[in-house]
Amino acid sequence: MPQEQASQTQTHDDERYIIGYAMEPKKIQNLLKPSLIEHARKHGIDLIPIDINKPLIQQHPNLHFHCIIQKLQPKHWDNLNLHQYMSKHGTTTTIIDPPHLVRKLQNRVSMLEFASNLPLSVQNATVGVPYQAVIDIHKTSGDDFEEMVTDSNLRFPVIAKPLYADGTMKSHELCLVFDREGLRETLNKNAAAGSTTTPVVLQEFVNHGGVVFKVYVAGEHVRCVKRRSLPDIPEEKAETLKGTLKFSQISNFTVQDDNGAKSNAGHNGDGANHLSNIERAEMPEENLIKELARALRERTGLNMFNVDVIRDAKDCTRYLVIDINYFPGYAKLPCYEPFITDFLLDCVRNKPAFVCEENQGMNE
Ligand SMILES: Nc1ncnc2c1ncn2[C@@H]1O[C@H](COP(=O)(O)OP(=O)(O)OP(=O)(O)O)[C@@H](O)[C@H]1O
Ligand SMILES: O=P(O)(O)O[C@H]1[C@H](OP(=O)(O)O)[C@@H](OP(=O)(O)O)[C@@H](O)[C@@H](O)[C@@H]1OP(=O)(O)O
Ligand SMILES: [Mg+2]
Ligand SMILES: [Mg+2]
């Protein structure tokens, strides 16, 4: 994928389009930078904030939203009462994307089902998902646990991930588990949290050269960037490692951030190794990325998401999807302003192939 894609943004007409954005203040601060608002404005789009704490019908009475983009918690859907709004304006306003579809990405099992058995064929490459099993601590006794570990064919190390990827900090608290004892410890800690305990997904850790490919999708627009990931664990070392290692949002560092880590190598010696891994790593075939994005748009019915993909260190034709995130941090992409603006123009001109049908289920 070219990093610096030229904008395809062209204004075909003098019409202005109104696009509402409904999201939490932190997300607005990250995404709606003045540079995006200005770029969109120059190309005919006025981006208008929607108050997520009161019914939309009571807001902007003189504006007609061509489309609304959103990243919201369920309580905000209730507050906004979009159902009421859409029953009045549903034929002319599009919600991107409908919450009942977004919700499928908030569960790490249903999320990865979208990426299972993908019929992609680009130069022998395959795209699959790592083996994973769910443990609900409420339903797993000590004996069950032994049986479960034996039956599941889980091979250590594994990564323990909260089943629900609902945007909370907790949902990003992951843990590398090196052996049975480590797993028992993790599950016991989880159980000690009592009623707040959530099920855990145990996902096979796959060595992948310390690089994760983040594929950002916005309708037909697709970009892939490399990011820092967990380092490989050589097999001989894996056999000696015990217990657990907690981590969170490791791939949030961009390559530029890693440059900082490199110059700071005394402080963070690993940074230099990760950086060279990232620099050296070849990007996946452009067509593979495009096909993956298209297949996932079709399967999920969603337009705005990113996909974390790793490449098996033992087999460079084997790609694995490890995570899919709704409405990710697009602003981390170089030149994200034309990327988002081009997508929004497609939306208001009704170009995206998978804009939600009649916005059905939008208030579920
Ligand atoms: N199965 C795996 N094998 C190897 N490394 C993995 C695996 N799953 C996750 N990782 C590493 O852990 C990181 C975080 O995992 P994951 O993306 O599932 O968590 P997340 O909290 O949902 O992340 P995000 O911030 O992207 O939402 C990945 O970016 C990757 O570096
Ligand atoms: O804020 P950031 O720029 O880090 O974006 C992250 C985004 O947080 P935000 O929604 O608060 O923006 C996360 O959403 P939740 O899972 O927590 O809902 C998730 O999508 C990450 O994958 C994004 O990081 P990226 O994958 O793009 O690196
Ligand atoms: Mg991820
Ligand atoms: Mg995620």
Side-chain angles (χ1 to χ4, degrees), residues 108 214 251 308 322-323 325:
R108 293 187 193 269
K214 287 217 164 225
S251 67
D308 293 352
I322 51 168
D323 186 25
N325 303 293

Side-chain angles (χ1 to χ4, degrees), residues 113-119 294-302:
E113 276 166 4
F114 290 122
S116 303
N117 308 312
L118 284 170
R294 182 167 179 83
L296 288 177
R297 278 177 68 211
E298 247 165 29
R299 284 193 174 182
T300 59
L302 298 170

Side-chain angles (χ1 to χ4, degrees), residues 26-27 30-31 71 73 106 108 165-169 171-172 214 216 227 249 251-254 306-308 323-332:
K26 181 182 144 267
K27 186 75 184 172
N30 287 345
L31 183 86
K71 181 161 184 177
Q73 298 296 321
Q106 292 177 340
R108 293 187 193 269
D166 53 8
T168 54
M169 280 312 287
S171 72
H172 293 294
K214 287 217 164 225
Y216 285 81
R227 290 273 183 80
Q249 296 210 293
S251 67
N252 255 8
F253 301 96
T254 60
N306 76 356
V307 195
D308 293 352
D323 186 25
I324 310 178
N325 303 293
Y326 187 65
F327 209 138
Y330 290 105
K332 286 185 213 144

Side-chain angles (χ1 to χ4, degrees), residues 51 102 109 149 153 212 217 286 288 305 308 324 332 345 348:
D51 184 342
V102 173
V109 171
V149 175
N153 293 322
V212 59
V217 180
E286 191 173 334
L288 185 72
F305 57 90
D308 293 352
I324 310 178
K332 286 185 213 144
L345 282 171
V348 289

Side-chain angles (χ1 to χ4, degrees), residues 44-165:
I45 292 176
D46 295 318
L47 287 160
I48 307 290
I50 289 172
D51 184 342
I52 57 177
N53 294 310
K54 64 179 191 197
L56 181 54
I57 207 107
Q58 293 172 13
Q59 303 180 45
H60 309 291
N62 301 321
L63 282 186
H64 164 245
F65 290 108
H66 291 87
C67 141
I68 293 171
I69 53 173
Q70 52 79 26
K71 181 161 184 177
L72 293 170
Q73 298 296 321
K75 65 176 180 206
H76 295 130
W77 285 99
D78 295 340
N79 295 346
L80 272 169
N81 199 346
L82 277 174
H83 188 71
Q84 182 192 33
Y85 182 86
M86 292 306 278
S87 53
K88 200 167 165 208
H89 301 281
T91 50
T92 50
T93 303
T94 308
I95 308 270
I96 295 176
D97 288 293
H100 71 292
L101 299 180
V102 173
R103 206 164 302 138
K104 295 240 167 147
L105 295 191
Q106 292 177 340
N107 175 310
R108 293 187 193 269
V109 171
S110 52
M111 168 207 288
L112 287 201
E113 276 166 4
F114 290 122
S116 303
N117 308 312
L118 284 170
L120 306 182
S121 64
V122 177
Q123 294 189 347
N124 295 330
T126 60
V127 181
V129 297
Y131 179 76
Q132 63 176 18
V134 181
I135 300 189
D136 187 342
I137 196 72
H138 292 304
K139 296 182 190 149
T140 314
S141 69
D143 290 348
D144 289 349
F145 170 79
E146 292 297 337
E147 208 181 309
M148 190 280 304
V149 175
T150 312
D151 289 356
S152 68
N153 293 322
L154 268 180
R155 287 188 49 202
F156 290 103
V158 295
I159 301 190
K161 306 184 180 187
L163 175 63
Y164 303 115

